[in-house]
Amino acid sequence: MALDDLKETIETLRKRIQTHRPYLEGNETRTRQVLIDPMLHKLGWDVGDPNSVELEYRIGRDWADYVLMGRRRPIAVIEAKALGKPLDEKETMQALNYANTAGIPYMTLTNGDHWRMLEVFKQAPIKDRILMNFQLTQDEPYACALQALGLWLPNLASGKPKEAATPVMIEKPARAESAPTTPESSRGKKVTDPSNNGDWAPLTSLKVGYGQKAPTDIKFPDLSTKSLKNWADLLESVAEYLVEIGKILTRDCPVSKGRSKRYLVHSEPIHPNAKKFVSKRKIGNGLWLLTHGSSHTLHENACWLLNQFGDDDVSPSTVLVSTNPS
């Protein structure tokens, strides 16, 4: 299999996630048909051939979504989740238990966007059992392709699959619109930073006073940057980013701070009292953002959104701003 062909497939799947997220999100069957099956096919697994892939494989009282077959014996369990479903510890342990019970040496967990493969019987913490870990909407396509080779049929069927490769230096990833899971980059990946053109500081370090100018640039954890003209741009950039990586979803709306009688993010620019947003901007997934307020309020709202919808990797302290670009 040519690596370029796999990279092309990955780019296609990224576009599908971007274009069809509302159709796919929360629906496991659609996620499997539109995202998971095509990836398996490209990696050499014929989902339509039971000699290659057994579907709904019985394990005790449970059923595994896929079991990959090698020389007529099961060699890997794949547990599928709907796009938007986080691959958290509970989901990981469920899939590991399936594989362990059936005596199957490898396990893969995926929601169509995020893919992770573990060695089942290795006596080590979970993090040290990972053989493959990538996210289509967060990692650069070539890096995803190298990682995905961990699940390539000749590699897995060999009985001793090599740990997925990770490039030492790759270009800045181009984000697709959305990634409905907690973003996780491929382990060990080092990304060049072509955008370090100024003095960067965490968003939390800003002391916003009356009449203070907004930062000139903002940089997110994936190293993507955006120029800013005012404080409303800063809030919009943060909200847009959270939507793009799947942290703010349509089902989270309306979003309001505490007991506020005004919405901050909503699917339509209308507050609960039926009044329209005074100042608004349209962001991803057809959502609307309230951008009315002082510089202090807009900065505070940006930090609040990151705290409310982010995590350890995406927070006010990991989002950087520059006020002195070179």
Side-chain angles (χ1 to χ4, degrees), residues 14-27 30-31 35 82-85 111 113 135 137-138 176-181 243-251 285:
R14 283 163 60 103
K15 291 178 182 177
R16 287 182 182 178
I17 293 173
Q18 177 180 0
T19 304
H20 303 295
R21 172 169 294 283
Y23 172 78
L24 298 171
E25 196 166 72
N27 190 302
R30 293 174 180 174
T31 298
L35 300 176
L83 182 67
K85 178 73 173 178
N111 58 17
D113 179 21
Q135 190 168 351
T137 57
Q138 292 297 311
E177 183 179 339
S178 76
T181 74
V243 170
E244 287 180 354
I245 65 172
K247 293 296 188 179
I248 297 179
L249 305 173
T250 303
R251 64 170 178 251
N285 285 354

Side-chain angles (χ1 to χ4, degrees), residues 52-105:
S52 178
V53 180
E54 286 200 26
L55 303 176
E56 305 305 324
Y57 185 94
R58 185 159 189 169
I59 299 177
R61 295 182 178 181
D62 298 308
W63 302 85
D65 295 317
Y66 305 79
V67 166
L68 307 184
M69 307 296 291
R71 297 178 182 177
R72 298 185 180 277
R73 61 182 178 83
I75 54 177
V77 168
I78 296 181
E79 183 64 13
K81 301 299 177 184
L83 182 67
K85 178 73 173 178
L87 306 189
D88 56 22
E89 182 178 357
K90 177 183 177 181
E91 309 298 339
T92 300
M93 293 309 300
Q94 176 192 26
L96 275 174
N97 288 336
Y98 284 169
N100 185 67
T101 299
I104 299 174

Side-chain angles (χ1 to χ4, degrees), residues 75-77 87-89 91-93 95-96 99 104-110 114-122 124-133 150-151 156 161 187:
I75 54 177
V77 168
L87 306 189
D88 56 22
E89 182 178 357
E91 309 298 339
T92 300
M93 293 309 300
L96 275 174
I104 299 174
Y106 302 102
M107 176 277 287
T108 294
L109 182 63
T110 181
H114 187 183
W115 292 72
R116 182 189 297 148
M117 183 170 76
L118 286 81
E119 190 172 351
V120 175
F121 301 117
K122 183 177 181 178
I126 295 295
K127 64 183 180 64
D128 295 327
R129 299 199 222 175
I130 295 175
L131 296 174
M132 178 188 81
N133 187 36
L151 199 57
L156 199 57
R187 297 181 184 275

Side-chain angles (χ1 to χ4, degrees), residues 86-244:
L87 306 189
D88 56 22
E89 182 178 357
K90 177 183 177 181
E91 309 298 339
T92 300
M93 293 309 300
Q94 176 192 26
L96 275 174
N97 288 336
Y98 284 169
N100 185 67
T101 299
I104 299 174
Y106 302 102
M107 176 277 287
T108 294
L109 182 63
T110 181
N111 58 17
D113 179 21
H114 187 183
W115 292 72
R116 182 189 297 148
M117 183 170 76
L118 286 81
E119 190 172 351
V120 175
F121 301 117
K122 183 177 181 178
Q123 299 300 309
I126 295 295
K127 64 183 180 64
D128 295 327
R129 299 199 222 175
I130 295 175
L131 296 174
M132 178 188 81
N133 187 36
F134 64 93
Q135 190 168 351
L136 300 181
T137 57
Q138 292 297 311
D139 298 326
E140 193 271 339
Y142 184 70
C144 291
L146 288 174
Q147 284 282 310
L149 289 177
L151 199 57
W152 186 33
L153 191 156
N155 185 36
L156 199 57
S158 70
K160 295 182 179 181
K162 295 181 180 179
E163 185 173 351
T166 303
V168 175
M169 299 294 280
I170 64 173
E171 296 178 357
K172 181 180 68 174
R175 296 195 314 276
E177 183 179 339
S178 76
T181 74
T182 302
E184 286 189 45
S185 298
S186 301
R187 297 181 184 275
K189 183 178 68 176
K190 296 180 180 179
V191 184
T192 59
D193 183 5
S195 59
N196 191 8
N197 62 344
D199 299 326
W200 297 98
L203 185 60
T204 50
S205 70
L206 288 181
K207 305 299 181 183
V208 183
Y210 178 76
Q212 181 174 335
K213 291 184 178 180
T216 56
D217 298 273
I218 188 167
K219 177 161 59 176
F220 295 100
D222 65 358
L223 301 184
S224 62
T225 62
K226 188 173 182 180
S227 297
L228 306 174
K229 294 181 180 179
N230 49 51
W231 289 101
D233 282 354
L234 182 143
L235 176 58
E236 179 188 14
S237 296
V238 166
E240 184 75 41
Y241 179 76
L242 290 170
V243 170
E244 287 180 354

